């Protein structure tokens, strides 16, 4: 039980860090000021989890009570601001960190909903919400249509990860640690492969598709 | 009591379906992918209700716990995607479905707030929220100023419907079934007539109005 | 205790009024209709507080239960709509009212979180949220990047105000009334001075900054 809790805690913290980096990078590209960058970093990192906690009745939300999350966000912001040339040089770092956070948050989000005694559908939907909620809020704050709704296997990967957690929870013959590890690998792989091979979900196009916006 | 519950349940499900169709249509027009269309459909259908449930303390929100809502959203998405030419041919189908959902959600939203023991103002505001919340989130996600804030009798119709429910709740001499039916008819008629005769709320114009945006 | 409660109550009401005026002015400039103006006014006035109340478990949120808040919002809307030429003539009235509301909401928001038994971090983050949440929602609804994230000492002033409340709460040798007054003055002064002398937080610029949007 302690091990599971430690694993859960570490996964949560690592996911927070990954998302904060991704949020700070996006905010910096839009020339936000220092507070704006930090706010977007924190929002991306904790936004999905805060919505999840409100929905499962975990009051106050974990993102607001633990100094760790805020500190991790500030550190991620400082790294992104202070070492931006380095971060910029990395090959698609935003996409990589996003994929790590995606898998971590989908799994821990679904686990937390189940641990609060809610049913499989709640865990499934809130696993996805934890994973993509922060990114959706980021895109809304930067006034663009959330990229996850337009193309790419992204939320679908989170759905796969959360679904494995829910299925594993119902099948008692496998430990939840292993379930979490399998779910993480599947979700992360799905996302990275989708990026690598440019997999997309089908877009039902009109006769003559034109770029609206 | 059972009858009321069945009525409430059916109204809720029908409203979910109507809003999901409306959301899926709007998302498809913006060329979102399959997941995006389904997500917008579900958000429009359940978004207002989820905000309402968070505000009245109905944890977890009904939109997340009942498989029916998700299934209804998926079916609505499938219909909109699979039979889009048909849906497109219908005369202003989005507006019609929107009006049905508007009336249904304003009434059931206000009723649920009252049934949780909250006062008339909470029921009034959350009736409106249930009715227009999903549409506002849809417009925010598609990065446009929510159309209900710019023109048309829309939220005002929801306000009328919710107000009738609240007034009827205070007047004990009429059954809540009849109150609901009257509120539904008033709200729906108000919206449809507003569409038909292009009724608008006054816009306080500046001396020389110019299209900003 | 009664005095503190009265002070808290009056501060809350005054902040609501100030923010509602600011929201109604912004909405009127975008040519929204009467309902839209009132909705934005109410959202700016109560939006931050509602998010705060959801996060601390104050169900239903105070913004929804007290007729006063709604009435104050409607009055502010009526004033802004009916006497717009006058409001327009005032020197930067939106900015002034915004500063008043900012200080009031940061302080009362942090106080309320503490009074519900939450820790300093929750009070700090929710003080900021109460102060800037409504404005962020306003900007999102009007589809623009929230101005507080791009430039100006705004949320930073709220942070200062909320931090003083949290620090004062831990230091028992000073009455919370005085703490509140000091926090209000610091936050308001910081904001007004920032406006007057065009103080900004540093923006980490790229080599060749260009206006994106």
């Amino acid at each position: 039980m302690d091990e599971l809790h430690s694993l859960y805690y570490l996964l949560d913290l690592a996911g927070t860090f990954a998302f904060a980096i991704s949020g700070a990078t996006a905010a910096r590209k839009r020339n936000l000021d220092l507070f704006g960058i930090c706010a977007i970093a924190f929002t991306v990192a904790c936004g999905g989890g805060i919505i999840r906690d409100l929905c499962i009745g975990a009051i106050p939300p974990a993102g607001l009570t633990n100094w760790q999350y805020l500190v991790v966000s500030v550190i991620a912001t400082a790294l992104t601001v202070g070492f931006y040339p380095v971060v910029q040089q990395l090959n698609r770092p935003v996409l990589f960190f996003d994929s790590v956070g995606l898998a971590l948050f989908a799994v821990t989000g679904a686990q937390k909903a189940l641990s609060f005694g809610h049913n499989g559908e709640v865990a499934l939907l809130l696993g996805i919400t934890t994973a993509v909620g922060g990114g959706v809020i980021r895109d809304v704050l930067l006034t663009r249509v959330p990229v996850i709704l337009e193309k790419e296997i992204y939320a679908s990967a989170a759905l796969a990860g959360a679904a494995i957690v829910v299925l594993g929870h119902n099948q008692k013959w496998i430990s939840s640690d292993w379930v979490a590890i399998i779910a993480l690998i599947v979700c992360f792989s799905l996302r990275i492969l989708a990026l690598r091979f440019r997999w997309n979900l089908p877009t039902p196009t009109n006769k003559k598709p034109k770029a609206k916006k």
Side-chain angles (χ1 to χ4, degrees), chain A residues 15 41 119 122 135:
Chain A
N119 67 27
V122 175

Side-chain angles (χ1 to χ4, degrees), chain A residues 4-15:
Chain A
L4 178 61
H5 191 263
S6 298
L7 177 68
Y8 172 84
Y9 180 73
L10 285 178
L11 290 179
D12 216 43
L13 224 54

Side-chain angles (χ1 to χ4, degrees), chain A residues 2-201:
Chain A
D2 273 355
E3 255 178 31
L4 178 61
H5 191 263
S6 298
L7 177 68
Y8 172 84
Y9 180 73
L10 285 178
L11 290 179
D12 216 43
L13 224 54
T16 304
F17 183 74
F19 269 39
I21 289 270
S22 134
T25 309
R28 197 186 194 290
K29 277 187 187 156
R30 291 290 285 262
N31 294 321
L32 299 196
D33 73 6
L34 263 181
F35 179 87
I37 294 174
C38 194
I40 298 275
F42 183 75
T43 304
V44 177
C46 295
I50 288 173
I51 295 175
R52 175 203 62 210
D53 285 352
L54 290 179
C55 287
I56 62 175
I59 300 294
L64 299 180
T65 46
N66 295 14
W67 282 98
Q68 292 99 325
Y69 295 120
L70 189 54
V71 169
V72 162
S73 297
V74 170
I75 291 173
T77 305
L79 285 178
T80 308
V81 171
F83 299 89
Y84 192 60
V86 178
V87 170
Q88 215 172 10
Q89 291 290 328
L90 294 174
N91 192 29
R92 301 171 178 267
V94 177
L95 292 177
F96 177 80
F97 285 122
D98 229 49
S99 305
V100 174
L102 181 79
L104 291 166
F105 276 40
V107 169
T108 57
Q111 283 179 328
K112 186 164 186 182
L114 289 172
S115 76
F116 267 69
H118 298 302
N119 67 27
E121 189 195 355
V122 175
L124 192 70
L125 290 172
L126 291 181
I128 301 173
T129 302
T130 311
V132 309
V136 168
I137 297 176
R138 174 199 64 206
D139 288 347
V140 164
L141 289 177
L142 300 179
T143 61
R144 54 191 192 197
V145 175
V147 69
I148 65 150
L149 301 178
E150 284 189 309
K151 52 191 172 118
E152 295 177 5
I153 305 281
Y154 188 89
S156 324
L159 169 60
I164 291 172
V165 172
V166 171
L167 290 176
H169 179 75
N170 294 336
Q171 309 298 325
K172 301 294 183 191
W173 52 268
I174 185 169
S175 87
S176 51
D177 284 20
W178 278 106
V179 167
I181 290 166
I182 293 169
L184 282 171
I185 292 172
V186 168
C187 178
F188 180 76
S189 308
L190 213 50
R191 174 64 185 145
I192 287 292
L193 289 172
L195 281 175
R196 176 67 187 78
F197 297 107
R198 300 182 182 284
W199 290 344
N200 285 313
L201 282 185

